[in-house]
Amino acid sequence: MLRFVLFTTLAALVLAELEPQPRYLEDSVEERVVGGEVAKPNSWPWQISLQFKSGSNFHHTCRGTLIKRGWVMTAAHCVDSSVSSSGCNAYRKPTVFTRASAYISWMNGSDGDPADTEEVKQTQDMLRFVLFTTLAALVLAELEPQPRYLEDSVEERVVGGEVAKPNSWPWQISLQYQSGSNFHHTCGGTLIRRGWVMTAAHCVDRTRTWRVVLGDHNINSNEGREQYMSVSRVYLHPQWNPSSVAGGYDIALLRLSSEATLNSNVQLGELPPSGQVLPHNNPCYITGWGRTQTGGQLSASLKQAYLPVVDHKTCTSSGWWGSTVKSSMVCAGGGSESGCQGDSGGPLNCSVGGRWVVHGVTSFVSSSGCNAYRRPTVFTRASAYISWMNGIMG
């Protein structure tokens, strides 16, 4: 697998740009070293400034290296008159250097001195080290994808799927925070008891004034079915670490200030038995508010997307999420549909024995995109926290 990843990565880099257009770095004062920092004075004492005369003044044009007391090495184009034409730090267009070790014999022939074989060996060893560490970094980057939370953005939420039938997921809630005199949707959640909501810890791990909206379908309008509840207390899992996206324990309970009135629009979500793990491809739906596709038209109506379960063995394998996903999580999707921002904390509704059971709390997706290939949406597995929740709710 590592060889496959390595060779396909290198092939992709080659095929992506077979004919990049180079340009020399000479003369421009607009673009020289990009990024980096000012060096300590004379910390690179072999660096020289090559300057040309114009009138009575000299002007810097190129750099070079003092390699013998009477000799400087520089680029031919500096004294004869490559970086990508699209910019000094263009994506996948690294700066290109003449490899000094390829010209040791020529340089020694120019100054009449014998080759310093130890220096040549050191240079070759250094180049090998750079090559192998670069390739290793490419492989490790693929093996350890970086997750990100789904919270807050109104640009992207449920990707793919369709608008749900109004109140067809009657345990779905909208978690909102107060800003000024208004409340704004930020996450989803599940009504699991008349006075309790289950959501993601990362949605509520800061101090804000929260409210929960039950029975909602269009979050931009009041349709007469909604119940508005303030939150009297937030219970974060005690092992939740806000600095670790993939550390687990991304679950919280919200105690409502009053109990919900259950009706056809507001119902309790059913939780699974403690420890239950669903099989590969078990049918599930993610629900939330937002766009039907990345960059598409924003909709305020509740959406649903079909996300079958990806079993733990597959989800943690090389080329998928790897060790990022823990046993207390559940994966679903990984194709053209997924969760995205705005769906954090919302339910993963799974069909089990002819009933809809909330098996997951939406947690994170890949940093490379909401519906990245082989990066299923990752959920906190509700069945791993049944004892903790019962202990809090009584």
Side-chain angles (χ1 to χ4, degrees):
M1 176 56 72
L2 288 177
R3 293 191 187 94
F4 174 79
V5 171
L6 175 61
F7 289 128
T8 53
T9 301
L10 294 177
L13 291 174
V14 172
L15 293 174
E17 292 291 345
L18 290 175
E19 295 294 334
Q21 299 301 309
R23 64 175 173 83
Y24 294 128
L25 285 158
E26 174 190 5
D27 270 0
S28 170
V29 295
E30 286 78 16
E31 298 178 310
R32 290 177 181 167
V33 171
V34 175
E37 58 190 1
V38 175
K40 180 181 178 181
N42 304 114
S43 55
W44 308 101
W46 44 84
Q47 169 86 52
I48 66 98
S49 168
L50 178 63
Q51 302 181 359
F52 68 93
K53 188 174 183 180
S54 177
S56 59
N57 297 316
F58 281 86
H59 305 274
H60 172 85
T61 182
C62 278
R63 301 86 173 161
T65 304
L66 183 68
I67 55 173
K68 296 267 178 103
R69 292 177 62 186
W71 291 90
V72 163
M73 176 178 65
T74 188
H77 75 261
C78 288
V79 290
D80 173 31
S81 329
S82 118
V83 163
S84 168
S85 57
S86 60
C88 285
N89 56 346
Y91 178 61
R92 289 184 173 177
K93 298 295 183 295
T95 306
V96 179
F97 300 82
T98 299
R99 179 166 59 85
S101 64
Y103 299 93
I104 298 296
S105 296
W106 174 78
M107 289 189 285
N108 285 333
S110 296
D111 64 17
D113 290 337
D116 187 337
T117 56
E118 182 60 28
E119 288 186 4
V120 173
K121 182 177 183 299
Q122 290 177 354
T123 302
Q124 291 172 337
D125 289 344
M126 179 187 69
L127 290 170
R128 290 190 189 98
F129 174 77
V130 171
L131 173 62
F132 287 125
T133 52
T134 301
L135 295 180
L138 289 171
V139 172
L140 290 173
E142 176 67 19
L143 292 178
E144 294 296 335
Q146 298 303 308
R148 65 177 173 83
Y149 293 130
L150 290 147
E151 174 192 4
D152 262 346
S153 171
V154 295
E155 284 77 15
E156 298 174 313
R157 290 174 181 167
V158 168
V159 175
E162 59 194 359
V163 173
K165 181 181 177 182
N167 304 110
S168 56
W169 307 101
W171 44 85
Q172 169 86 50
I173 66 95
S174 168
L175 176 63
Q176 304 181 358
Y177 66 93
Q178 186 173 19
S179 178
S181 58
N182 297 315
F183 280 86
H184 305 274
H185 173 86
T186 184
C187 281
T190 304
L191 184 68
I192 56 173
R193 294 198 188 175
R194 290 179 61 194
W196 293 89
V197 162
M198 176 179 69
T199 189
H202 77 260
C203 289
V204 290
D205 61 1
R206 72 214 71 179
T207 302
R208 279 177 168 174
T209 299
W210 305 101
R211 80 172 181 186
V212 165
V213 184
L214 313 171
D216 211 351
H217 180 68
N218 187 313
I219 55 175
N220 289 342
S221 65
N222 189 324
E223 299 159 300
R225 297 184 291 265
E226 299 88 348
Q227 297 178 39
Y228 299 89
M229 304 283 183
S230 59
V231 175
S232 61
R233 186 168 176 182
V234 174
Y235 293 85
L236 299 173
H237 193 282
Q239 291 178 265
W240 162 246
N241 178 5
S243 300
S244 177
V245 177
Y249 308 103
D250 189 12
I251 190 169
L253 292 174
L254 309 180
R255 183 69 168 103
L256 304 182
S257 57
S258 57
E259 294 197 340
T261 300
L262 302 183
N263 52 40
S264 60
N265 303 312
V266 177
Q267 293 287 323
L268 301 181
E270 181 179 344
L271 294 177
S274 181
Q276 186 178 64
V277 176
L278 295 180
H280 190 65
N281 279 333
N282 193 100
C284 300
Y285 279 85
I286 187 176
T287 50
W289 284 271
R291 296 182 186 273
T292 56
Q293 59 184 5
T294 302
Q297 182 65 41
L298 183 66
S299 169
S301 298
L302 185 71
K303 299 195 180 306
Q304 62 186 36
Y306 177 68
L307 296 186
V309 167
V310 177
D311 65 22
H312 188 69
K313 181 180 179 181
T314 302
C315 197
T316 56
S317 63
S318 174
W320 289 67
W321 272 111
S323 61
T324 301
V325 167
K326 312 301 187 291
S327 60
S328 60
M329 303 173 185
V330 58
C331 304
S336 62
E337 299 175 345
S338 76
C340 209
Q341 281 100 321
D343 296 310
S344 275
L348 177 68
N349 308 288
C350 298
S351 178
V352 181
R355 301 171 62 86
W356 291 109
V357 181
V358 178
H359 266 265
V361 178
T362 314
S363 185
F364 62 83
V365 293
S366 171
S367 58
S368 61
C370 288
N371 53 347
Y373 178 62
R374 288 189 172 180
R375 296 294 180 272
T377 305
V378 180
F379 303 80
T380 300
R381 181 166 59 82
S383 65
Y385 297 94
I386 298 298
S387 295
W388 175 75
M389 289 190 283
N390 286 338
I392 296 294
M393 296 184 295

